[in-house]
Amino acid sequence: MKRRLLMCLALWPLAIQAQAAPPWGLDRLMDGLKSVRSAAAHFVERRELAALNTPLQSAGTLAYVAPDQLQKVTLRPKPARLTVIGDRLTVEQEGAAPRNLSVSGSPELGAFVASIRATLAGDLASLQTFYTVVLDGDATDWTLRLVPRDARMRSMLSEVRIHGVGHALTRIETEEAGGDRSVMDITMDTAG
Amino acid sequence: MRFGRGAVLALWLALLILAGIVVGRARFSTDMSAFLPRAPTAAQQMLVDQLREGVVSRLVLLSIEGAPPQVLIALSRDLAAGLRADARFTGVINGEAVTMSRDREWLWTNRYLLSPGVTAEAFSVPSLHAALEHDVALLGSDLGMMARAIVPADPTGELLRLLDRMGATAGPRMDDGVWVSRDGTRALLMVQSAAPGFDIDAQEAALGAVDAAFATARQAMAGAASARLVRTGPPVFAVMTRAQIKGDAERLSLLATMLVVAVLLIAYRSARVLVLALLPVASGALTGVAAVAAWFGFVHGITLGFGVTLIGEAVDYAIYLFTQTPPGQPARATLPRIWPTLRLGMLTSVCGFSAMLLSDFDGFAQLGLFTIVGLLVALGVTRFVLPALAPTGFAGPTATAFARPLLALIWQGKAASAAVLVLTLFAAGSLAWHTGPVWEDELSSMSPLPKRAVAQDAALRREIGAPDVRYLAVVHAPDRERALQTSEHVASLLEGLVARHAITGFDAPSQWLPSQASQTARQAALPDSATLSARLAEAASGTPFRLAAFAPFLAAVEAARHVAPMQPESLAGTGLALRLDSLLAPGSGGWTAMLPLQGVATPAALADEIAGFGVPGLVFLDLKGESDHLLATYRQEALTLSIAGGLVIVVLLAVSLRRPAQIAAVLLPLAAAVICTTALLLAGGARLSIFNLFGLLLVVAVGSNYCLFFARPPGDPADRQRMIASLVLADLCTVIGFGVLSFSGVPVLHGIGGTVAIGACLSLVFAAVRSRPA
């Protein structure tokens, strides 16, 4: 009797927690994303620019290591590599010296990289520092709509839409000012 | 010489008043150029210009540490914002985009006048086609996001060319848009003051403003109480050095003066005699400064600070007079006895210092003139003024007691003589077989900075990647336009050296402000709107570009064709203004353009290459090599002057004393003292510098007096005892005065102080030992 009472007391907090669990939403999505420590994927990107008659296509691989390392390796049409570690952003291209930039110091590229990285890391606070975040859909098919808070930033990047299924990203759509847009389709290889 | 007492005093006062007036109107300067040779080489002139006002002389490196990273970053932003609003700073860089975006905007607006890529060829159909194909690849790359806004207005990629040249990709690590150290524990900033480096008062005020801005930022921020600011760089060092020299000079001089005054009070037991004893040296110093001001038109700070120590001998004159006057007698009666010796002693010193008058450096020549006039006047005052002012019967028996230790030594004459001989031979031997460097040839050794401060500076400099400029190609031209044109020409030649890996890179003022000629040429190379749009249409065929997208390009080119060429003022408010300012400056008789060279592999080969360019007015400058070389020149000159002075002294003594035994009695102890002092200094692990050389010259000046007094034929034993007492007293004052200086951390004071204290002591002992007991 005494033992059962103790058991009840011990389990009580769990019961309360289960009762108080919120419905699926931003917080649960971010918690789920946060649990992914590393991921690898393939991508195909299609970029439509107002200045060009035909879209530009590229393909390659993506790699992420929590919380702040991201690498994009382009295999087609020309080999190149984009590496982000912390605030350091390195662009390596065939036949050119590596270019070192900083995420915070390069508005266009930096904002884009930061949006993807913060999403992968499940870092809602960081996302909300720069973007108004709106979540559509449910856990099996969700869309995060990110609109820059800063008006000057908005004049370059109007919106980033990140689509996902569960803890995985499936597509990143970028709407830039002047009608330029790009769509990156992602196929996950592994996640851990 | 029979002047009335009143006439003498009136003449003396008139001289002092006249000197006072001259000194009151004198211009005092701390300008380094007084220590340039009278006919400096172009490289020496540029070295001093750099030290005086070059950009490096105005750069302060800051590091904020001791708080969490986020606090450091916020502090860096606030501090930078505070300093940017302060007119005392021409540049504040902490990695923030504030200046970077302004620079970028400026480069963007003026790209067609700035870029060396703007040639008629570059705007031909084939070149434009190649540029467009390159643009397609760029837009498809990871940099496409940045490029897409730029390409329609700049398809030929001029901005990227300019940005690459600016080295925008280099720099320290950035966190949150602010420079931080590699380990992220310090926020880094670089601040350039508006005032030139030699204006130490202005630098001190600027540093004060930095401290105040930091204190304000720290106070306003939560959790920042533990943060501290580390400052380094030439302005910090200049202020620190001045404070230390001033502090040491004041503290040690005060201490030395108090000790000397105490000794004199014990000896004479009279405040009046004490004041009188200081009259000759004070009069000498005042007239010496006046003479320098009248002759050179200005008085250098070093002459003032240094000269007074050089005429310290003048204190001895009064001591000789007062101590050798028997009790109850007037000082006047003593004069006939000691005057010939005093006069010869003074002449010896004057001869020793007269060689300095011939120096190629104004600084040395000023010291020489100051000393000569100072000593002449001091002896004159001792001879004519003091007896008139001294009370009769002032001398008490106390002073005589000072003779006792030396008398004891003299009684041991034979044994002591042998000891001195052995000691001197041993010292001479140690000098002859001395291994290792004898001379101090590094300029840094002249600075009193603690090693820790220098190491801290080097570390911070590495982190920030601040210009640690050592090698420069310097161009001198009659006007700015020609300086810029030559800079452009030299830059094109340097490109060849970069391609051959003789250097890794360089900067040039013409990169940020092209010559008017180049700007006009670039404008002429740009096609008019109709031609350009026709060519562009042809070039775009076969590329995915829509022609309409290039409207901004056509507009920008058309605008660039008609814009007024840029002037230095056009850069106002950008970080590039700072850069240009440091590379292009009006100098003596024209304009100087500086092209700092990075990654120099073999300096000697590079010097040959640059000389081989055959560009008139172009000089290859190795700042460190040149400054070390200049120091070696000083030392060589000081050595030559000292030896010449020594020879003149020998000749003077030979002519005046005539008898070889007497000449030997004066010269041998002096030579022994100089040899032993030098050996002692080197044995102590020191290297000899100019300051030690001047110290030795002083030893000869002071020591010759001792030797001359001892070399006189012995007279009345009581007089002789008083004479010896006066020497001991004078020597005691010298050893105290200079010995105290040797405790200074400032190399000048330490070097002279130690040398003279040791040397004066040895010369007295050696002179006494050589003499015969009465």
Side-chain angles (χ1 to χ4, degrees):
Chain A
M1 185 66 193
K2 206 172 177 184
R3 183 172 284 184
R4 277 181 69 182
L5 183 66
L6 274 176
M7 192 102 127
C8 277
L9 281 174
L11 289 175
W12 194 46
L14 281 181
I16 288 181
Q17 219 169 37
Q19 239 174 11
W24 188 85
L26 258 184
D27 291 324
R28 293 254 317 261
L29 173 64
M30 290 292 154
D31 283 345
L33 289 167
K34 207 181 286 180
S35 68
V36 180
R37 305 314 298 161
S38 71
H42 277 75
F43 76 86
V44 177
E45 191 181 9
R46 186 183 155 93
R47 205 176 284 175
E48 291 168 31
L49 299 177
L52 300 181
N53 287 314
T54 51
L56 299 168
Q57 299 237 23
S58 61
T61 62
L62 292 171
Y64 164 75
V65 177
D68 65 355
Q69 293 188 30
L70 192 60
Q71 191 172 60
K72 176 187 171 202
V73 180
T74 307
L75 302 170
R76 281 178 296 121
K78 272 177 87 177
R81 183 162 54 190
L82 171 80
T83 313
V84 189
I85 301 172
D87 195 42
R88 263 168 300 170
L89 198 158
T90 312
V91 179
E92 290 161 283
Q93 284 174 310
E94 234 182 24
R99 224 169 251 279
N100 295 299
L101 304 161
S102 81
V103 174
S104 49
S106 341
E108 305 96 337
L109 194 51
F112 176 67
V113 165
S115 70
I116 298 176
R117 193 170 56 179
T119 304
L120 285 169
D123 184 354
L124 184 60
S126 167
L127 266 184
Q128 284 178 331
T129 314
F130 300 104
Y131 301 96
T132 316
V133 183
V134 178
L135 176 65
D136 292 330
D138 55 46
T140 54
D141 182 11
W142 49 266
T143 304
L144 267 183
R145 284 176 49 212
L146 309 175
V147 178
R149 286 181 183 277
D150 181 37
R152 238 188 61 209
M153 195 65 231
R154 258 200 318 275
S155 71
M156 291 187 277
L157 180 71
S158 358
E159 190 177 282
V160 179
R161 281 190 298 278
I162 300 178
H163 302 270
V165 172
H167 301 166
L169 275 56
T170 55
R171 166 182 279 199
I172 300 167
E173 289 177 277
T174 316
E175 300 277 354
E176 285 158 353
D180 295 349
R181 61 190 299 265
S182 81
V183 179
M184 181 189 271
D185 283 311
I186 301 170
T187 318
M188 294 298 289
D189 301 341
T190 58
Chain B
M1 278 193 257
R2 292 232 173 261
F3 292 110
R5 176 183 147 140
V8 165
L9 287 182
L11 201 66
W12 172 58
L13 283 175
L15 180 71
L16 288 188
I17 290 169
L18 183 69
I21 291 172
V22 174
V23 170
R25 295 183 168 187
R27 191 165 62 81
F28 292 90
S29 146
T30 50
D31 195 331
M32 277 284 294
S33 48
F35 285 84
L36 262 186
R38 289 217 179 91
T41 64
Q44 286 168 338
Q45 182 66 52
M46 283 163 187
L47 168 72
V48 170
D49 286 349
Q50 279 295 302
L51 294 176
R52 275 167 49 89
E53 49 200 322
V55 62
V56 179
S57 76
R58 297 190 273 147
L59 205 58
V60 183
L61 309 181
L62 302 175
S63 156
I64 308 175
E65 38 193 78
Q70 284 317 307
V71 174
L72 296 178
I73 288 166
L75 279 174
S76 169
R77 287 179 199 279
D78 288 1
L79 175 60
L83 296 179
R84 282 193 187 107
D86 191 327
R88 276 172 291 193
F89 301 99
T90 50
V92 179
I93 306 173
N94 67 339
E96 275 186 283
V98 187
T99 45
M100 291 219 342
S101 66
R102 218 179 294 156
D103 289 0
R104 231 180 114 124
E105 210 173 291
W106 190 82
L107 291 177
W108 177 247
T109 312
N110 298 296
R111 62 190 182 279
Y112 290 110
L113 294 191
L114 281 170
S115 172
V118 177
T119 59
E121 217 282 311
F123 288 81
S124 65
V125 174
S127 299
L128 284 173
H129 182 75
L132 292 182
E133 296 218 299
H134 179 261
D135 288 338
V136 174
L138 181 66
L139 288 171
S141 77
D142 291 319
L143 294 172
M145 239 176 203
M146 302 165 88
R148 66 179 192 89
I150 296 169
V151 165
D154 184 18
T156 55
E158 308 305 338
L159 179 70
L160 220 54
R161 221 187 299 270
L162 294 171
L163 282 179
D164 276 351
R165 203 168 55 177
M166 193 161 78
T169 52
R173 171 180 158 185
M174 298 263 266
D175 273 353
D176 266 353
V178 165
W179 282 353
V180 295
S181 60
R182 252 159 294 169
D183 59 4
T185 58
R186 291 177 290 164
L188 307 173
L189 298 93
M190 211 157 72
V191 173
Q192 186 169 314
S193 68
F198 67 83
D199 188 349
I200 300 180
D201 285 330
Q203 299 295 353
E204 195 165 10
L207 291 175
V210 169
D211 287 343
F214 178 69
T216 311
R218 186 172 59 178
Q219 206 161 31
M221 197 171 302
S226 63
R228 58 182 187 276
L229 182 71
V230 176
R231 312 169 314 184
T232 172
V236 180
F237 290 168
V239 170
M240 226 159 104
T241 305
R242 185 176 71 167
Q244 196 187 349
I245 291 179
K246 223 177 126 200
D248 266 21
E250 277 171 5
R251 204 161 36 85
L252 297 176
S253 302
L254 188 69
L255 183 63
T257 310
M258 274 165 38
L259 289 173
V260 167
V261 163
V263 169
L264 292 180
L265 272 178
I266 291 170
Y268 298 127
R269 314 225 163 147
S270 155
R272 181 168 172 193
V273 174
L274 171 73
V275 170
L276 288 178
L278 296 176
L279 272 188
V281 70
S283 312
L286 186 66
T287 43
V289 174
V292 168
W295 182 260
F296 290 91
F298 73 98
V299 181
H300 199 278
I302 292 187
T303 312
L304 269 187
F306 215 16
V308 179
T309 43
L310 289 183
I311 62 163
E313 178 192 353
V315 179
D316 297 357
Y317 297 159
I319 293 176
Y320 296 145
L321 176 65
F322 290 148
T323 315
Q324 299 196 30
T325 300
Q329 291 196 18
R332 199 176 296 110
T334 314
L335 270 172
R337 193 157 29 92
I338 66 165
W339 173 244
T341 311
L342 271 185
R343 190 180 48 197
L344 186 55
M346 185 274 292
L347 280 176
T348 312
S349 307
V350 166
C351 285
F353 290 114
S354 66
M356 290 174 78
L357 280 178
L358 304 175
S359 167
D360 198 25
F361 299 97
D362 269 348
F364 287 176
Q366 281 203 355
L367 282 174
L369 181 66
F370 176 88
T371 314
I372 289 168
V373 172
L375 289 180
L376 277 170
V377 169
L379 191 68
V381 171
T382 310
R383 168 73 177 82
F384 298 107
V385 178
L386 287 193
L389 294 176
T392 303
F394 65 87
T398 333
T400 323
F402 282 89
R404 273 182 210 138
L406 209 58
L407 279 172
L409 192 65
I410 293 171
W411 285 113
Q412 305 295 323
K414 281 254 162 59
S417 255
V420 168
L421 186 67
V422 169
L423 192 69
T424 307
L425 286 177
F426 181 72
S430 84
L431 283 182
W433 281 282
H434 181 79
T435 51
V438 174
W439 300 108
E440 188 57 83
D441 280 336
E442 289 255 341
L443 191 61
S444 57
S445 69
M446 309 296 237
S447 128
L449 294 171
K451 288 221 160 48
R452 202 177 55 84
V454 176
Q456 194 174 45
D457 181 65
L460 206 51
R461 211 161 271 280
R462 261 198 312 280
E463 284 271 15
I464 293 188
D468 186 13
V469 182
R470 172 162 180 183
Y471 302 104
L472 295 162
V474 188
V475 168
H476 199 71
D479 54 51
R480 191 177 66 209
E481 173 65 9
R482 265 177 283 180
L484 286 171
Q485 284 180 15
T486 316
S487 159
E488 276 160 355
H489 179 51
V490 173
S492 69
L493 294 168
L494 289 175
E495 294 286 2
L497 295 187
V498 176
R500 284 192 285 121
H501 305 294
I503 53 175
T504 57
F506 66 92
D507 199 356
S510 48
Q511 296 190 326
W512 315 112
L513 180 68
S515 66
Q516 302 291 303
S518 293
Q519 295 189 48
T520 323
R522 280 170 197 158
Q523 285 183 312
L526 295 170
D528 63 56
S529 220
T531 315
L532 183 59
S533 73
R535 287 186 194 169
L536 193 62
E538 205 181 329
S541 72
T543 71
F545 277 110
R546 283 191 185 118
L547 259 189
F550 290 114
F553 172 50
L554 296 175
V557 170
E558 189 56 24
R561 293 178 65 226
H562 301 295
V563 77
M566 292 173 289
Q567 303 293 332
E569 302 77 56
S570 324
L571 283 86
T574 67
L576 295 170
L578 185 75
R579 195 142 163 179
L580 180 68
D581 198 31
S582 67
L583 299 176
L584 180 72
S588 33
W591 282 73
T592 305
M594 271 152 290
L595 293 80
L597 308 172
Q598 289 120 32
V600 173
T602 42
L606 184 62
D608 289 344
E609 291 263 18
I610 289 178
F613 288 173
V615 177
L618 173 66
V619 173
F620 172 73
L621 185 58
D622 170 2
L623 284 179
K624 184 174 184 311
E626 205 55 54
S627 61
D628 287 349
H629 177 70
L630 196 58
L631 183 67
T633 316
Y634 290 150
R635 194 251 297 151
Q636 192 55 47
E637 169 118 357
L639 187 62
T640 313
L641 294 177
S642 306
I643 291 173
L647 287 177
V648 175
I649 289 176
V650 171
V651 171
L652 174 78
L653 290 177
V655 169
S656 332
L657 298 173
R658 296 218 184 92
R659 288 180 28 224
Q662 273 213 308
I663 299 173
V666 174
L667 285 184
L668 289 182
L670 265 186
V674 168
I675 290 172
C676 291
T677 307
T678 313
L680 268 176
L681 288 173
L682 282 179
R687 294 190 196 177
L688 298 187
S689 69
I690 304 174
F691 311 133
N692 300 111
L693 274 178
F694 283 154
L696 288 176
L697 204 55
L698 263 171
V699 168
V700 172
V702 174
S704 62
N705 294 340
Y706 307 155
C707 298
L708 285 170
F709 272 113
F710 271 117
R712 281 191 326 183
D716 173 10
D719 279 347
R720 183 172 161 84
Q721 189 179 359
R722 274 191 290 274
M723 183 271 282
I724 292 174
S726 78
L727 296 186
V728 174
L729 193 53
D731 190 56
L732 195 59
C733 290
T734 305
V735 171
I736 288 173
F738 285 91
V740 166
L741 285 188
S742 75
F743 289 107
S744 168
V746 181
V748 188
L749 302 177
H750 175 77
I752 292 203
T755 311
V756 176
I758 297 172
C761 192
L762 290 180
S763 358
L764 181 64
V765 171
F766 291 0
V769 163
R770 188 77 182 43
S771 76
R772 298 278 166 275

